[in-house]
């Protein structure tokens, strides 16, 4: 199952200490997400991806192991971002 951003070019990022503020220019909504969710969102802006590909990318960036726990965390983040109309399953 592939995931993609709904509005690639309309999302603006403003990093803070441990969080990132994102602004959806089309809807006018502002959200505060953690850095990992921001990395996932930015990866999806580059190209649609599945959970396994996102896990491999995050594991390299965070220098951690891939596995079921990481995949479940990513699935949770994707579900949260889908509820905010930032990503969708294709």
């Amino acid at each position: 199952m592939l995931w993609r951003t709904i509005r690639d070019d309309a999302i603006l990022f403003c990093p803070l200490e441990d969080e990132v503020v994102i602004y959806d220019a089309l809807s006018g909504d502002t959200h505060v997400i953690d850095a990992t969710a921001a990395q996932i969102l930015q990866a999806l802006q580059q190209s649609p991806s599945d959970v396994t590909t996102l896990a491999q990318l995050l594991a390299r960036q965070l220098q951690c192991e891939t596995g079921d726990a990481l995949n479940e965390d990513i699935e949770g983040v994707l579900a949260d971002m889908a509820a905010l109309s930032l990503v969708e399953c294709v």
Side-chain angles (χ1 to χ4, degrees):
M1 179 167 26
L2 288 177
W3 289 86
R4 69 176 180 188
T5 56
I6 293 176
R7 299 174 188 95
D8 299 343
D9 55 346
I11 299 173
L12 305 172
F13 293 81
C14 180
L16 299 174
E17 289 181 23
D18 295 330
E19 300 173 318
V20 177
V21 175
I22 57 171
Y23 173 71
D24 182 341
L26 294 178
S27 70
D29 293 334
T30 302
H31 307 284
V32 178
I33 60 176
D34 66 26
T36 301
Q39 288 175 317
I40 292 170
L41 190 56
Q42 288 172 323
L44 292 176
Q45 282 184 311
Q46 299 300 313
S47 66
S49 297
D50 60 16
V51 171
T52 303
T53 303
L54 291 169
Q56 292 169 348
L57 174 72
L58 282 178
R60 281 193 305 271
Q61 291 176 348
L62 301 174
Q63 299 179 351
C64 68
E65 296 291 321
T66 59
D68 292 339
L70 181 58
N71 288 357
E72 289 174 14
D73 288 345
I74 292 170
E75 289 170 356
V77 169
L78 290 169
D80 291 345
M81 289 194 296
L84 296 174
S85 297
L86 296 172
V87 301
E88 64 185 355
C89 190
V90 292

